[in-house]
Amino acid sequence: VVDITEKKVAERRVLELLEDLRSFSHSISHDLKAPLRALQSYAEAVLEDYGEDLPEGALELVQRISGTAQKMAKLIEDILTYTRITGSKPELKRIELKEVLSEILSYFGEEIRSSGAKVEVKEPLPPVLADETLLRLVLLNLISNALKYRHPERRPEIEVKAESNDWVTFWIKDNGIGIDGEFQERIFRMFERLHGEESYPGTGAGLAIAKRAAERMGGSIGVASEPGKGSSFWIKLRRGEGNIEGG
Ligand code: ADP
């Protein structure tokens, strides 16, 4: 009896520590936003007001300050998103996957047009039991990656299809650069990146956010991929029938 009680106390303590850590990283990230925004606007003001008078070397440095500040702002936004979805309770309801997907695809409309990407959505896409915000985050990050990690010598092709029984599994498949087998699990960790910042800029948070979001909805996410050929990310969620509260 004593053992069980001690174990419970220890477990509660770990949960409290995790919650402290989450709220600590949330408030630090939040506090960093304002000074970073200031830094960015100072750099932009220098570029705007004095850009033409600056020697080339100085101009490049100020441009780098501005770019780095922008990158940090994106990183902070990603950390805030991650801590937010960890701390808030998902609202699970029946959602038409098809509708959310087409909303996300039209968000990337310009990028799809300019890259000449071919996007094929195979019907039917069944309804899923999901939290709308979390589902959007999953799709946003996966579609964004499918467009970003494209093969330099091929027109990007993206295919979305689904299969369903009690659960719905849907795939977002690309013909991009692919991912080596040994890294296929690691890429879902926060800040884990495989490809160079120069050709493929990013924060390394997108898949960690997508995984956490899928798990918060009681689902899962994974990838099958072949380097040089492409990747197929899958997401498994409960099929959307009635409305229930999630936790
Ligand atoms: P980011 O794109 O900001 O680096 P992600 O967490 O979304 O962060 O992805 C982590 C890493 O996984 C990427 O840096 C990339 O190396 C790899 N990756 C993700 N999606 C794909 C994809 N569709 N094709 C090839 N590599 C990918």
Side-chain angles (χ1 to χ4, degrees):
V1 178
V2 173
D3 269 350
I4 292 174
T5 317
E6 274 180 7
K7 203 172 154 225
K8 274 199 174 150
V9 170
E11 273 172 9
R12 193 174 319 134
R13 188 74 197 115
V14 169
L15 287 178
E16 279 168 9
L17 279 172
L18 284 175
E19 178 50 29
D20 282 355
L21 199 62
R22 193 193 66 78
S23 88
F24 179 68
S25 85
H26 187 87
S27 61
I28 286 208
S29 308
H30 200 266
D31 292 349
L32 281 172
K33 270 169 101 170
L36 196 59
R37 207 174 294 130
L39 185 66
Q40 211 171 337
S41 55
Y42 294 147
E44 270 154 29
V46 172
L47 287 173
E48 205 166 295
D49 297 346
Y50 308 103
E52 287 178 0
D53 309 324
L54 288 176
E56 207 175 296
L59 182 68
E60 200 191 311
L61 286 175
V62 183
Q63 278 163 344
R64 278 202 207 170
I65 293 174
S66 166
T68 308
Q70 220 170 334
K71 182 145 198 231
M72 260 183 89
K74 170 80 172 75
L75 197 62
I76 287 171
E77 238 3 276
D78 284 345
I79 295 173
L80 283 172
T81 303
Y82 189 80
T83 54
R84 196 180 306 126
I85 61 182
T86 303
S88 62
K89 188 175 179 223
E91 267 180 50
L92 298 183
K93 60 178 187 189
R94 177 194 157 104
I95 293 180
E96 289 301 333
L97 181 56
K98 197 176 136 188
E99 281 168 22
V100 183
L101 179 70
S102 75
E103 184 193 307
I104 300 291
L105 288 174
S106 62
Y107 173 80
F108 286 108
E110 186 44 43
E111 208 174 324
I112 292 172
R113 265 187 299 282
S114 64
S115 64
K118 185 179 149 207
V119 180
E120 193 182 347
V121 178
K122 292 206 162 154
E123 308 244 8
L125 291 183
V128 289
L129 190 64
D131 174 293
E132 205 159 336
T133 310
L134 295 180
L135 181 62
R136 270 205 198 97
L137 277 173
V138 172
L139 293 173
L140 191 81
N141 281 301
L142 294 182
I143 301 285
S144 156
N145 283 347
L147 287 164
K148 178 161 71 171
Y149 295 102
R150 55 179 174 252
H151 198 283
E153 286 146 23
R154 284 199 288 269
R155 179 164 93 118
E157 283 176 20
I158 300 175
E159 186 191 288
V160 184
K161 63 171 186 183
E163 220 175 71
S164 85
N165 37 53
D166 282 351
W167 293 81
V168 176
T169 307
F170 57 99
W171 289 265
I172 296 176
K173 183 171 172 237
D174 65 55
N175 66 342
I177 53 180
I179 303 152
D180 230 305
E182 61 174 309
F183 301 116
Q184 287 173 16
E185 253 185 77
R186 268 178 41 188
I187 52 170
F188 292 96
R189 292 186 207 152
M190 196 62 159
F191 306 136
E192 202 75 54
R193 312 202 62 230
L194 306 179
H195 302 101
E197 180 63 24
E198 286 295 309
S199 335
Y200 301 101
T203 60
L207 288 179
I209 290 173
K211 182 172 197 287
R212 178 56 60 93
E215 288 171 355
R216 294 292 285 155
M217 295 185 280
S220 50
I221 189 171
V223 67
S225 179
E226 213 178 313
K229 290 208 163 158
S231 313
S232 183
F233 283 83
W234 57 262
I235 302 94
K236 199 170 161 185
L237 293 174
R238 230 173 231 295
R239 200 183 153 91
E241 252 117 17
N243 277 4
I244 57 163
E245 276 287 300

